[in-house]
Amino acid sequence: MSAAEDRPGVYEIHIHGYPTSQEALALQHPIERLLCPAPDHVPPCEIPWSFTLAGGEDEASTALVLGVYTSRGQAAQVADRVRTLVGETRTGAVSEGEAGEWEELVEQYRFEKGLR
């Protein structure tokens, strides 16, 4: 693994195939428990994460987007765990995210790591 692949950054895990935003948002809590099984733990979380929604390829499809701030390898591992949780009926994809669109993740990472 190269140093560039090991350097943390923003990654997006898109979970496609929800007809409504409410159905996509209902998946947030199970994914939260997957990423953080003990919500009352002492911070920080191992991997900073957040959610948003995105439109699918057609107007009737919504995707839940999980943003994570971690290395490429850890992002792939998280995506695998999420795929196992949601099942094979949903498609998922991992891609690099734009730090500007996920500012809270970048700030959380910097704060928790003591970076300025």
Side-chain angles (χ1 to χ4, degrees):
M1 179 180 297
S2 74
E5 289 178 331
D6 199 31
R7 189 174 340 138
V10 176
Y11 292 90
E12 295 179 352
I13 301 166
H14 292 248
I15 306 146
H16 299 278
Y18 294 93
T20 68
S21 57
Q22 290 79 14
E23 289 181 65
L25 291 171
L27 190 58
Q28 284 182 343
H29 186 71
I31 292 174
E32 288 172 4
R33 294 296 63 86
L34 178 72
L35 297 173
C36 185
D40 296 328
H41 70 84
V42 176
C45 279
E46 179 182 349
I47 298 173
W49 49 271
S50 186
F51 293 102
T52 192
L53 293 173
E57 292 180 12
D58 61 48
E59 303 239 349
S61 180
T62 302
L64 181 66
V65 182
L66 168 63
V68 294
Y69 195 92
T70 190
S71 69
R72 180 182 304 273
Q74 283 186 313
Q77 289 175 2
V78 169
D80 288 343
R81 292 170 55 204
V82 169
R83 281 186 202 104
T84 299
L85 176 74
V86 301
E88 294 182 21
T89 60
R90 304 282 182 227
T91 60
V94 180
S95 61
E96 288 187 35
E98 294 292 326
E101 294 179 25
W102 296 93
E103 290 179 31
E104 75 275 7
L105 290 179
V106 177
E107 288 302 313
Q108 180 182 353
Y109 176 82
R110 287 181 181 153
F111 177 77
E112 291 174 350
K113 297 295 182 185
L115 305 172
R116 303 252 176 225

